[in-house]
Amino acid sequence: MVIGVHTPEFAFEKHFVNVGKQLGLLGVDYPVVIDNDYGIWRAFGNRAWPAFHFVGADGRVRHHVFGERDYDQSERLIQKLLSEATGEEIAGDLVAVAGEGPQAAADKQNLRSPESYVGYALGRTFVSPGGVNEDAPTLYQAVQALSLNRWSLAGIWTIGSEFATLNDPSGSISYRFHSRDLHLVLAPAVQGQGIRFRVKIDGAPPGVDHGFDTDPEGWGNVQDGRMYQLVRQRGSVEDRTFQIEFFDAGVRAYAFTFG
């Protein structure tokens, strides 16, 4: 039996409707517990998303895996535990799973950009002139020559502890990164509000390097709170400058992740 536990990182991930919608889109058909108070997270000593805990038929926790790794070893352990429970030999073939789009495994050999938070509580690499003005609408200016893993804002934004909100109908975020994939967790301030955006890489449309949530010209739309894959480089991976420009007020930007 598989039981999922959803422990949210951001506030919009606590809402049952949002979680249920994403489970449906992902094709998840096993039970999922909503762990909004982190009770299960703490009880199992979790320290990363995802975390896997393997429980034998005797009720004892037999193994833990933290993070995206050791899938073959995990499947071998499941086979072993099933054999113990049934007393029968379990077929030893391994299932080959190839994730697509945002579900694809990270290109770890070319991954030199870390998860970066936009809110001031955990944000560390913001370099717009003047720095962060906490919880107040502020006109920020872009930095034209960003160093690796530094980012800036342009336009009037309110940077809160968890996310930054665009106050005007026009604004942008730039980030200098080194990875195959670039993702950004985004949400509309009003559920169901569509927010148009356009992505550029080194000042040009992404073309074949567009992500799952953008077209070759870089256009996309924020409809729900979730992680958006904005760049998937098809060729060699090198330092690039990413920019996302929004054309409607109200977008909330939470965190960059890379793969």
Side-chain angles (χ1 to χ4, degrees):
M1 175 179 287
V2 177
I3 299 175
V5 179
H6 172 73
T7 306
E9 183 173 14
F10 302 116
F12 71 84
E13 297 175 314
K14 296 181 178 181
H15 300 303
F16 287 14
V17 172
N18 292 344
V19 176
K21 181 176 181 180
Q22 293 305 316
L23 292 177
L25 292 173
L26 291 170
V28 174
D29 58 3
Y30 48 80
V32 176
V33 181
I34 307 298
D35 183 35
N36 282 350
D37 63 359
Y38 278 57
I40 299 173
W41 176 277
R42 288 190 294 269
F44 279 85
N46 283 343
R47 55 180 183 269
W49 285 275
F52 302 91
H53 307 281
F54 301 89
V55 183
D58 57 3
R60 293 188 299 118
V61 178
R62 307 288 288 275
H63 189 57
H64 307 274
V65 175
F66 296 98
E68 299 179 8
R69 61 187 181 88
D70 299 340
Y71 291 114
D72 287 355
Q73 294 92 322
S74 294
E75 190 170 356
R76 294 292 189 198
L77 176 60
I78 292 171
Q79 293 170 352
K80 178 177 181 293
L81 294 178
L82 288 172
S83 294
E84 289 181 6
T86 64
E88 300 177 358
E89 189 69 25
I90 302 299
D93 295 337
L94 296 178
V95 176
V97 178
E100 297 181 355
Q103 303 302 316
D107 179 4
K108 294 184 179 179
Q109 290 186 337
N110 288 302
L111 185 55
R112 299 178 191 169
S113 290
E115 183 175 24
S116 299
Y117 291 87
V118 178
Y120 61 75
L122 296 174
R124 298 291 183 268
T125 58
F126 180 65
V127 293
S128 282
V132 173
N133 186 19
E134 297 181 3
D135 299 313
T138 303
L139 176 60
Y140 292 100
Q141 296 180 346
V143 173
Q144 299 304 315
L146 289 167
S147 300
L148 184 63
N149 299 326
R150 299 296 185 266
W151 64 279
S152 65
L153 295 172
I156 299 177
W157 294 78
T158 299
I159 301 179
S161 62
E162 188 176 85
F163 55 83
T165 304
L166 178 62
N167 299 100
D168 271 3
S170 178
S172 65
I173 309 174
S174 300
Y175 194 110
R176 185 74 170 172
F177 73 103
H178 188 112
S179 64
R180 183 194 64 193
D181 301 337
L182 181 147
H183 314 101
L184 182 57
V185 178
L186 298 167
V190 178
Q191 186 66 27
Q193 171 193 8
I195 297 175
R196 299 166 296 159
F197 65 79
R198 191 180 191 191
V199 165
K200 292 184 178 180
I201 304 174
D202 294 336
V208 297
D209 292 333
H210 71 92
F212 182 82
D213 293 298
T214 56
D215 65 19
E217 289 297 313
W219 291 101
N221 200 296
V222 176
Q223 292 283 353
D224 304 299
R226 62 179 176 87
M227 184 190 78
Y228 288 77
Q229 186 190 75
L230 303 176
V231 175
R232 159 62 64 84
Q233 298 194 74
R234 268 61 177 184
S236 60
V237 176
E238 54 191 32
D239 292 2
R240 310 289 295 274
T241 297
F242 161 88
Q243 182 192 58
I244 182 168
E245 183 177 3
F246 299 97
F247 298 93
D248 301 284
V251 70
R252 293 175 174 175
Y254 290 79
F256 286 92
T257 64
F258 302 90

